[in-house]
Amino acid sequence: MKVTVKYFASLREVLGAGESFEWTPAGAPTAGALRAWLQARTEAHATALAPGRAVRVAIDQEMADESTPLQDGAEVAFFPPVTGG
Amino acid sequence: MIASRVTVQEADFDLAAEVAALQHGREDVGAVASFVGCVRGGASEAGVSALTLEHYPGMTERAIEGMVAEANRRFRLLGVRVIHRVGRLEPGARIVLVAVASAHRRDAFEGCEFLMDYLKTHAPFWKKETTPGGERWVDARVADDEALRRWGIASENAGAPGRPSPSS
């Protein structure tokens, strides 16, 4: 399936703005499975997306959680807790 | 029908002009409550010389429009104006405006406070501080999640309830 990953704030600084790619999930195609798969890409990904780090996720520009299934063509954003206002 | 407008911009805003626009051409508005958030600097903020705000274009506007719709379900509102600035802002600069028009003060006050509490924890903005020691991303505050939970909305932006926020 095709996914577009975006990173913001501290994650963008170490991983770049993001990319689009074909992803073949081993199991259910959830946001959490994608996060785990991305951790294996580089040392920087492993650190920035490590379990226990405060990483929030949005799917197709809606706040989501890691159990949410992804559809083909999904835009998945990973970012730290928000600090606006 | 509620008149609402949400803008994310680098430019400053004019509070008086925005309040006037909420009242313009209508006599049913009996109350306008507004909140303006500003950049703190000086000794209390460890010498912060600037904040740089980043956001998620597209999602930000949609997210805030969803919050306005929820506010409109909870309170009797006549108009809402939200402006959030991005980019580099120095101490004293205005960051955010939430202005809410209603027939009576209670709905205006509560609608304004609800929208700020919601925006703080669910709108995709991030602040980076510039200090003499370098730059650092601002940490989310558990108190902001607690503020939103008082409105009956689950919020775990900074961390799960009762647990400290994992550092990032």
Side-chain angles (χ1 to χ4, degrees):
Chain A
M1 64 189 291
K2 188 165 187 270
V3 293
T4 297
V5 170
K6 292 188 172 189
Y7 302 110
F8 290 95
S10 53
L11 293 180
R12 176 187 52 74
E13 286 184 324
V14 294
L15 304 178
E19 57 191 324
S20 296
F21 51 86
E22 278 297 322
W23 178 48
T24 306
T30 63
L34 179 61
R35 176 177 170 181
W37 182 84
L38 287 164
Q39 285 165 34
R41 297 202 100 181
T42 67
E43 195 61 37
H45 286 79
T47 304
L49 299 170
R53 295 294 289 267
V55 174
R56 304 293 175 249
V57 62
I59 299 171
D60 295 328
Q61 305 194 351
E62 298 270 356
M63 290 291 189
D65 60 52
E66 297 204 348
S67 63
T68 308
L70 305 180
Q71 307 297 320
D72 186 38
E75 177 176 303
V76 186
F78 295 100
F79 44 78
V82 301
T83 55
Chain B
M1 178 64 191
I2 182 177
S4 77
R5 201 148 69 93
V6 174
T7 310
V8 179
Q9 63 187 37
E10 291 192 11
D12 196 7
F13 51 81
D14 179 339
L15 172 61
E18 299 300 339
V19 170
L22 283 171
Q23 291 181 275
H24 184 74
R26 56 194 307 170
E27 295 182 344
D28 52 348
V29 171
V32 179
S34 65
F35 174 87
V36 175
C38 307
V39 180
R40 286 186 305 270
S44 63
E45 298 298 316
V48 172
S49 59
L51 283 183
T52 304
L53 279 109
E54 172 176 335
H55 79 121
Y56 184 171
M59 177 172 168
T60 314
E61 294 84 350
R62 277 176 58 169
I64 298 172
E65 282 160 9
M67 295 170 198
V68 171
E70 179 60 27
N72 193 42
R73 280 189 285 273
R74 291 169 177 244
F75 310 103
R76 288 178 297 252
L77 306 184
L78 296 172
V80 174
R81 180 73 170 115
V82 178
I83 302 174
H84 204 301
R85 297 179 69 192
V86 292
R88 184 184 159 91
L89 299 172
E90 297 184 349
R94 287 173 280 268
I95 304 173
V96 60
L97 166 71
V98 173
V100 175
S102 175
H104 301 285
R105 71 184 184 284
R106 184 65 57 205
D107 290 289
F109 277 132
E110 292 191 343
C112 187
E113 186 171 21
F114 172 81
L115 280 168
M116 269 311 300
D117 287 343
Y118 213 164
L119 187 155
K120 290 285 284 188
T121 50
H122 284 72
F125 292 98
W126 300 274
K127 290 190 185 105
K128 190 180 213 182
E129 291 176 343
T130 303
T131 70
E135 296 190 320
R136 61 178 292 275
W137 291 97
V138 172
D139 288 327
R141 296 166 65 241
V142 171
D144 290 328
D145 287 319
E146 289 166 356
L148 188 62
R149 284 200 290 270
R150 284 199 294 269
W151 298 103
I153 296 179
S155 186
E156 297 186 6
N157 176 55
R163 281 197 281 130
S165 149
S167 66
S168 66

